[in-house]
Amino acid sequence: MWQPPAELPTGSVTYLLSDVEGSTRLWERFPDWMREAMETHDRIFERVTAARRGVLVRPRGEGDSRFCVFPDAADAVRAAVDIQRALHACAWPEESRVRVRMALHTGQDDVRDGDYYGAHTNRCARLRNVGHGGQILLSGATAAAAGALPDGVRLRDMGMRRLKDVLESERIYQLVIQGLPNDFPPLLVVDARPNNLPVETSPFIGRHKDVEVAGGLLLRQTTRLLTLTGPGGIGKTRLSLKIAEDVLSAFEDGVFVVGLADVAGAAQVIPAVAQVLGVRELQGRTLQESVRSFLSERELLLVLDNFEHVLGAAPAVGSLLAACPRIAVLATSRAPLRVAGECEYPLSPLGVPDPIRDLEPADIAASEAAQLFMTRARAVDPSFAIDAANGAAVATICRRADGLPLAIELAAARVRVLPPAQLLSRLERRLPLLTGGPRDAPARHQTLRATVAWSDDLLTPQQKKAFRWLSTLRGGGTVDAAASLCAAATGRSEAEAFDELQALLECSLLRRSGGDRAGARVVMLETIREYAEEQLEASGDGPAARRAHAEHFLRYSAKTEISAAQHPPRYVPASPERIDALERDLENFRAAASW
């Protein structure tokens, strides 16, 4: 019976991670037999690990996996070989044979609370996940540290390969063991399927739930088109690449990214797809027909990035999906494509530190927004850390940046010259300060203002005017308040003005929160509202917009149980629901009164 180790090895050690291939299926089909088989499996691991001077660490949430640690790499290799030989010698029925895949990696991670935490443990897990049942994989570090191999064992060089979530490629080796199966399917690495996914130069932060949910939607046969929507700078492109990497193995013919930011118009979308796929116009066919013919028999994922300015090409995408039953499309856009069968996935900002509680530095650093700030700040100041001196400032910066990844990254880059407290004092107005993105980033991502302006440029004149006038709302407003302002801006009825309101919601310049119309509100991120307010003042419509705002809230207050129309004014106690509704618009009442 396994007992928790009294002490774990520290320093440079070799990690061995394993799991049973297809264990879920085996447990479903043969539950009684699997119970006995896993007892045999566990006894082999415990016996061999102890004999080779290793320690069996309790697995973390993976019932059929095992995690062993060895102070010496040679002992770890010998243990893996012994375990695989012992498992192979068991009299398993062929249809329910227990096949175990293993990976070994050498490095030094932190030890706390009876477990290991750090990049090396994670790398070992990623290495294990690319193997197959019966296979033992070694990282380059372990292969170098192991020295002479046991008799009948040699290394097979599998080449430099990309592991999921690991920035640097890893040279992978397989242990070839005499007398055991040694030929396996290709490794399940990122580059095992055809793809043009870029090599990421920085770690992916947060959004693990989005990756899981959106990736799960794409893997359903019923989801042919998934569109990630959200305002500029919210991280749609980076998330789409992460999702594509995660689902790559599910598409036999690979994943291909088509960047549309520099495409001039809708007519150029299919040519851009053809260029990425290497498709040429066939004789007697149009280019779209040639692309359709190429994709008709392929199982492939197309990532169409930055679709918002070429929405006129949406019918062409729908036509491809209808004609090519095995392809799927993952699009990023500030507005949905409105194609039959589209599944829209609106993206929210990163989670920010709680503004209510006084947080410890560790609690602040646990939020997604603060993790991104810290990672990007370390790129310009490797010694940067969130501590008691700067934690509150970092938390406030993340909140003022609205949890927008682009805004946070631009702010963090300023740590090179400004400590967080001084940076915060200059963030009363976000747009002038948050500039200076990477030179190789698209121009619209080098300043926050350019990012919002990109969305603004896609609006019609009527929508632009409604967008500016809606900046008078403080903390958002009810759907009725927003419709009233849109109507005042455009000179249309409130019913007609819903067209502008709907367009702004679809373009991700507004967000909807709440339930039915009575409780629903529309909200503008403060970063976006600041830009819209700048444009309102530049247009000369500021006084008229603020008058319309004040007149709406005057009418709104006249509908309350507090009536000033009677002489003398009569007070009727308001219901708790009515008080809550009024409190949600307290900032709007203050703004109207101040005007």
Side-chain angles (χ1 to χ4, degrees), residues 458-478:
L458 302 176
L459 302 178
T460 67
Q462 291 282 77
Q463 292 164 0
K464 285 176 185 283
K465 194 168 184 181
F467 173 49
R468 287 149 177 64
W469 283 46
L470 286 171
S471 69
T472 58
L473 290 173
R474 294 295 187 271
T478 63

PDB file of all heavy atoms in Angstrom, residues 458-478:
ATOM      1  N   LEU A 458     -14.922  51.207 -38.650  1.00  0.00           N
ATOM      2  CA  LEU A 458     -15.809  50.262 -39.324  1.00  0.00           C
ATOM      3  C   LEU A 458     -17.281  50.634 -39.202  1.00  0.00           C
ATOM      4  O   LEU A 458     -18.137  49.973 -39.796  1.00  0.00           O
ATOM      5  CB  LEU A 458     -15.601  48.853 -38.739  1.00  0.00           C
ATOM      6  CG  LEU A 458     -14.174  48.290 -38.821  1.00  0.00           C
ATOM      7  CD1 LEU A 458     -14.098  46.944 -38.126  1.00  0.00           C
ATOM      8  CD2 LEU A 458     -13.734  48.154 -40.272  1.00  0.00           C
ATOM      9  N   LEU A 459     -17.589  51.711 -38.463  1.00  0.00           N
ATOM     10  CA  LEU A 459     -18.975  52.106 -38.219  1.00  0.00           C
ATOM     11  C   LEU A 459     -19.493  53.016 -39.328  1.00  0.00           C
ATOM     12  O   LEU A 459     -18.732  53.742 -39.975  1.00  0.00           O
ATOM     13  CB  LEU A 459     -19.090  52.830 -36.873  1.00  0.00           C
ATOM     14  CG  LEU A 459     -18.630  52.077 -35.622  1.00  0.00           C
ATOM     15  CD1 LEU A 459     -18.770  52.977 -34.397  1.00  0.00           C
ATOM     16  CD2 LEU A 459     -19.423  50.787 -35.435  1.00  0.00           C
ATOM     17  N   THR A 460     -20.813  52.988 -39.516  1.00  0.00           N
ATOM     18  CA  THR A 460     -21.461  53.947 -40.409  1.00  0.00           C
ATOM     19  C   THR A 460     -21.515  55.305 -39.706  1.00  0.00           C
ATOM     20  O   THR A 460     -21.353  55.388 -38.467  1.00  0.00           O
ATOM     21  CB  THR A 460     -22.891  53.502 -40.739  1.00  0.00           C
ATOM     22  OG1 THR A 460     -23.677  53.567 -39.536  1.00  0.00           O
ATOM     23  CG2 THR A 460     -22.914  52.075 -41.286  1.00  0.00           C
ATOM     24  N   PRO A 461     -21.772  56.414 -40.439  1.00  0.00           N
ATOM     25  CA  PRO A 461     -21.866  57.733 -39.787  1.00  0.00           C
ATOM     26  C   PRO A 461     -22.894  57.761 -38.655  1.00  0.00           C
ATOM     27  O   PRO A 461     -22.647  58.356 -37.599  1.00  0.00           O
ATOM     28  CB  PRO A 461     -22.249  58.662 -40.937  1.00  0.00           C
ATOM     29  CG  PRO A 461     -21.652  58.006 -42.148  1.00  0.00           C
ATOM     30  CD  PRO A 461     -21.803  56.533 -41.914  1.00  0.00           C
ATOM     31  N   GLN A 462     -24.052  57.117 -38.854  1.00  0.00           N
ATOM     32  CA  GLN A 462     -25.081  57.100 -37.799  1.00  0.00           C
ATOM     33  C   GLN A 462     -24.592  56.338 -36.574  1.00  0.00           C
ATOM     34  O   GLN A 462     -24.812  56.750 -35.437  1.00  0.00           O
ATOM     35  CB  GLN A 462     -26.368  56.455 -38.338  1.00  0.00           C
ATOM     36  CG  GLN A 462     -27.098  57.284 -39.383  1.00  0.00           C
ATOM     37  CD  GLN A 462     -27.896  58.410 -38.761  1.00  0.00           C
ATOM     38  OE1 GLN A 462     -27.311  59.426 -38.366  1.00  0.00           O
ATOM     39  NE2 GLN A 462     -29.196  58.252 -38.659  1.00  0.00           N
ATOM     40  N   GLN A 463     -23.935  55.206 -36.808  1.00  0.00           N
ATOM     41  CA  GLN A 463     -23.420  54.409 -35.693  1.00  0.00           C
ATOM     42  C   GLN A 463     -22.314  55.150 -34.956  1.00  0.00           C
ATOM     43  O   GLN A 463     -22.226  55.087 -33.722  1.00  0.00           O
ATOM     44  CB  GLN A 463     -22.906  53.065 -36.217  1.00  0.00           C
ATOM     45  CG  GLN A 463     -23.995  52.154 -36.743  1.00  0.00           C
ATOM     46  CD  GLN A 463     -23.459  51.017 -37.593  1.00  0.00           C
ATOM     47  OE1 GLN A 463     -22.249  50.898 -37.799  1.00  0.00           O
ATOM     48  NE2 GLN A 463     -24.346  50.182 -38.119  1.00  0.00           N
ATOM     49  N   LYS A 464     -21.455  55.858 -35.697  1.00  0.00           N
ATOM     50  CA  LYS A 464     -20.397  56.652 -35.057  1.00  0.00           C
ATOM     51  C   LYS A 464     -20.998  57.678 -34.109  1.00  0.00           C
ATOM     52  O   LYS A 464     -20.523  57.863 -32.980  1.00  0.00           O
ATOM     53  CB  LYS A 464     -19.557  57.382 -36.113  1.00  0.00           C
ATOM     54  CG  LYS A 464     -18.577  56.528 -36.893  1.00  0.00           C
ATOM     55  CD  LYS A 464     -17.885  57.364 -37.952  1.00  0.00           C
ATOM     56  CE  LYS A 464     -16.974  56.554 -38.847  1.00  0.00           C
ATOM     57  NZ  LYS A 464     -15.699  56.207 -38.203  1.00  0.00           N
ATOM     58  N   LYS A 465     -22.056  58.370 -34.568  1.00  0.00           N
ATOM     59  CA  LYS A 465     -22.657  59.419 -33.738  1.00  0.00           C
ATOM     60  C   LYS A 465     -23.285  58.818 -32.489  1.00  0.00           C
ATOM     61  O   LYS A 465     -23.131  59.340 -31.379  1.00  0.00           O
ATOM     62  CB  LYS A 465     -23.690  60.190 -34.553  1.00  0.00           C
ATOM     63  CG  LYS A 465     -24.112  61.498 -33.906  1.00  0.00           C
ATOM     64  CD  LYS A 465     -24.903  62.372 -34.864  1.00  0.00           C
ATOM     65  CE  LYS A 465     -25.217  63.727 -34.221  1.00  0.00           C
ATOM     66  NZ  LYS A 465     -26.003  64.597 -35.124  1.00  0.00           N
ATOM     67  N   ALA A 466     -23.990  57.693 -32.654  1.00  0.00           N
ATOM     68  CA  ALA A 466     -24.589  57.033 -31.489  1.00  0.00           C
ATOM     69  C   ALA A 466     -23.507  56.592 -30.504  1.00  0.00           C
ATOM     70  O   ALA A 466     -23.664  56.736 -29.289  1.00  0.00           O
ATOM     71  CB  ALA A 466     -25.425  55.840 -31.953  1.00  0.00           C
ATOM     72  N   PHE A 467     -22.406  56.059 -31.025  1.00  0.00           N
ATOM     73  CA  PHE A 467     -21.288  55.624 -30.187  1.00  0.00           C
ATOM     74  C   PHE A 467     -20.754  56.775 -29.349  1.00  0.00           C
ATOM     75  O   PHE A 467     -20.536  56.637 -28.141  1.00  0.00           O
ATOM     76  CB  PHE A 467     -20.208  55.055 -31.110  1.00  0.00           C
ATOM     77  CG  PHE A 467     -18.911  54.698 -30.428  1.00  0.00           C
ATOM     78  CD1 PHE A 467     -18.881  53.942 -29.266  1.00  0.00           C
ATOM     79  CD2 PHE A 467     -17.697  55.113 -30.973  1.00  0.00           C
ATOM     80  CE1 PHE A 467     -17.675  53.599 -28.655  1.00  0.00           C
ATOM     81  CE2 PHE A 467     -16.497  54.785 -30.372  1.00  0.00           C
ATOM     82  CZ  PHE A 467     -16.489  54.028 -29.219  1.00  0.00           C
ATOM     83  N   ARG A 468     -20.556  57.923 -29.942  1.00  0.00           N
ATOM     84  CA  ARG A 468     -20.043  59.070 -29.206  1.00  0.00           C
ATOM     85  C   ARG A 468     -21.016  59.543 -28.137  1.00  0.00           C
ATOM     86  O   ARG A 468     -20.618  59.825 -27.002  1.00  0.00           O
ATOM     87  CB  ARG A 468     -19.729  60.213 -30.183  1.00  0.00           C
ATOM     88  CG  ARG A 468     -18.476  59.972 -31.036  1.00  0.00           C
ATOM     89  CD  ARG A 468     -18.602  60.626 -32.405  1.00  0.00           C
ATOM     90  NE  ARG A 468     -17.415  60.485 -33.239  1.00  0.00           N
ATOM     91  CZ  ARG A 468     -16.911  59.361 -33.705  1.00  0.00           C
ATOM     92  NH1 ARG A 468     -17.466  58.209 -33.378  1.00  0.00           N
ATOM     93  NH2 ARG A 468     -15.838  59.357 -34.489  1.00  0.00           N
ATOM     94  N   TRP A 469     -22.300  59.630 -28.495  1.00  0.00           N
ATOM     95  CA  TRP A 469     -23.284  60.123 -27.527  1.00  0.00           C
ATOM     96  C   TRP A 469     -23.451  59.154 -26.354  1.00  0.00           C
ATOM     97  O   TRP A 469     -23.742  59.587 -25.232  1.00  0.00           O
ATOM     98  CB  TRP A 469     -24.633  60.353 -28.229  1.00  0.00           C
ATOM     99  CG  TRP A 469     -24.668  61.618 -29.058  1.00  0.00           C
ATOM    100  CD1 TRP A 469     -23.730  62.056 -29.935  1.00  0.00           C
ATOM    101  CD2 TRP A 469     -25.708  62.598 -29.071  1.00  0.00           C
ATOM    102  NE1 TRP A 469     -24.092  63.241 -30.511  1.00  0.00           N
ATOM    103  CE2 TRP A 469     -25.329  63.609 -29.997  1.00  0.00           C
ATOM    104  CE3 TRP A 469     -26.929  62.738 -28.416  1.00  0.00           C
ATOM    105  CZ2 TRP A 469     -26.104  64.720 -30.274  1.00  0.00           C
ATOM    106  CZ3 TRP A 469     -27.723  63.844 -28.686  1.00  0.00           C
ATOM    107  CH2 TRP A 469     -27.312  64.826 -29.600  1.00  0.00           C
ATOM    108  N   LEU A 470     -23.256  57.871 -26.584  1.00  0.00           N
ATOM    109  CA  LEU A 470     -23.378  56.888 -25.489  1.00  0.00           C
ATOM    110  C   LEU A 470     -22.256  57.017 -24.470  1.00  0.00           C
ATOM    111  O   LEU A 470     -22.346  56.471 -23.370  1.00  0.00           O
ATOM    112  CB  LEU A 470     -23.410  55.471 -26.047  1.00  0.00           C
ATOM    113  CG  LEU A 470     -24.716  55.063 -26.729  1.00  0.00           C
ATOM    114  CD1 LEU A 470     -24.558  53.721 -27.444  1.00  0.00           C
ATOM    115  CD2 LEU A 470     -25.855  54.976 -25.707  1.00  0.00           C
ATOM    116  N   SER A 471     -21.190  57.759 -24.808  1.00  0.00           N
ATOM    117  CA  SER A 471     -20.101  57.957 -23.845  1.00  0.00           C
ATOM    118  C   SER A 471     -20.539  58.818 -22.672  1.00  0.00           C
ATOM    119  O   SER A 471     -19.836  58.895 -21.662  1.00  0.00           O
ATOM    120  CB  SER A 471     -18.892  58.593 -24.532  1.00  0.00           C
ATOM    121  OG  SER A 471     -19.163  59.939 -24.899  1.00  0.00           O
ATOM    122  N   THR A 472     -21.696  59.472 -22.764  1.00  0.00           N
ATOM    123  CA  THR A 472     -22.189  60.278 -21.641  1.00  0.00           C
ATOM    124  C   THR A 472     -22.698  59.400 -20.504  1.00  0.00           C
ATOM    125  O   THR A 472     -22.847  59.880 -19.372  1.00  0.00           O
ATOM    126  CB  THR A 472     -23.316  61.215 -22.102  1.00  0.00           C
ATOM    127  OG1 THR A 472     -24.384  60.435 -22.679  1.00  0.00           O
ATOM    128  CG2 THR A 472     -22.800  62.213 -23.136  1.00  0.00           C
ATOM    129  N   LEU A 473     -22.974  58.124 -20.772  1.00  0.00           N
ATOM    130  CA  LEU A 473     -23.415  57.220 -19.705  1.00  0.00           C
ATOM    131  C   LEU A 473     -22.242  56.908 -18.777  1.00  0.00           C
ATOM    132  O   LEU A 473     -21.138  56.645 -19.231  1.00  0.00           O
ATOM    133  CB  LEU A 473     -23.964  55.919 -20.294  1.00  0.00           C
ATOM    134  CG  LEU A 473     -25.301  56.017 -21.034  1.00  0.00           C
ATOM    135  CD1 LEU A 473     -25.615  54.685 -21.711  1.00  0.00           C
ATOM    136  CD2 LEU A 473     -26.425  56.413 -20.076  1.00  0.00           C
ATOM    137  N   ARG A 474     -22.508  56.939 -17.488  1.00  0.00           N
ATOM    138  CA  ARG A 474     -21.481  56.619 -16.488  1.00  0.00           C
ATOM    139  C   ARG A 474     -21.825  55.293 -15.830  1.00  0.00           C
ATOM    140  O   ARG A 474     -22.903  55.142 -15.245  1.00  0.00           O
ATOM    141  CB  ARG A 474     -21.401  57.720 -15.415  1.00  0.00           C
ATOM    142  CG  ARG A 474     -20.923  59.066 -15.937  1.00  0.00           C
ATOM    143  CD  ARG A 474     -19.464  58.966 -16.413  1.00  0.00           C
ATOM    144  NE  ARG A 474     -18.913  60.266 -16.763  1.00  0.00           N
ATOM    145  CZ  ARG A 474     -19.000  60.817 -17.966  1.00  0.00           C
ATOM    146  NH1 ARG A 474     -19.655  60.183 -18.931  1.00  0.00           N
ATOM    147  NH2 ARG A 474     -18.469  61.993 -18.208  1.00  0.00           N
ATOM    148  N   GLY A 475     -20.906  54.320 -15.967  1.00  0.00           N
ATOM    149  CA  GLY A 475     -21.187  53.003 -15.418  1.00  0.00           C
ATOM    150  C   GLY A 475     -22.245  52.264 -16.202  1.00  0.00           C
ATOM    151  O   GLY A 475     -22.892  51.350 -15.688  1.00  0.00           O
ATOM    152  N   GLY A 476     -22.418  52.650 -17.453  1.00  0.00           N
ATOM    153  CA  GLY A 476     -23.425  52.010 -18.293  1.00  0.00           C
ATOM    154  C   GLY A 476     -24.810  52.567 -18.020  1.00  0.00           C
ATOM    155  O   GLY A 476     -24.982  53.561 -17.306  1.00  0.00           O
ATOM    156  N   GLY A 477     -25.800  51.937 -18.601  1.00  0.00           N
ATOM    157  CA  GLY A 477     -27.177  52.376 -18.409  1.00  0.00           C
ATOM    158  C   GLY A 477     -28.129  51.290 -18.860  1.00  0.00           C
ATOM    159  O   GLY A 477     -27.729  50.274 -19.442  1.00  0.00           O
ATOM    160  N   THR A 478     -29.408  51.504 -18.607  1.00  0.00           N
ATOM    161  CA  THR A 478     -30.408  50.544 -19.051  1.00  0.00           C
ATOM    162  C   THR A 478     -30.483  50.550 -20.570  1.00  0.00           C
ATOM    163  O   THR A 478     -30.021  51.485 -21.238  1.00  0.00           O
ATOM    164  CB  THR A 478     -31.787  50.897 -18.483  1.00  0.00           C
ATOM    165  OG1 THR A 478     -32.187  52.178 -19.004  1.00  0.00           O
ATOM    166  CG2 THR A 478     -31.762  50.954 -16.952  1.00  0.00           C
TER     167      THR A 478
END
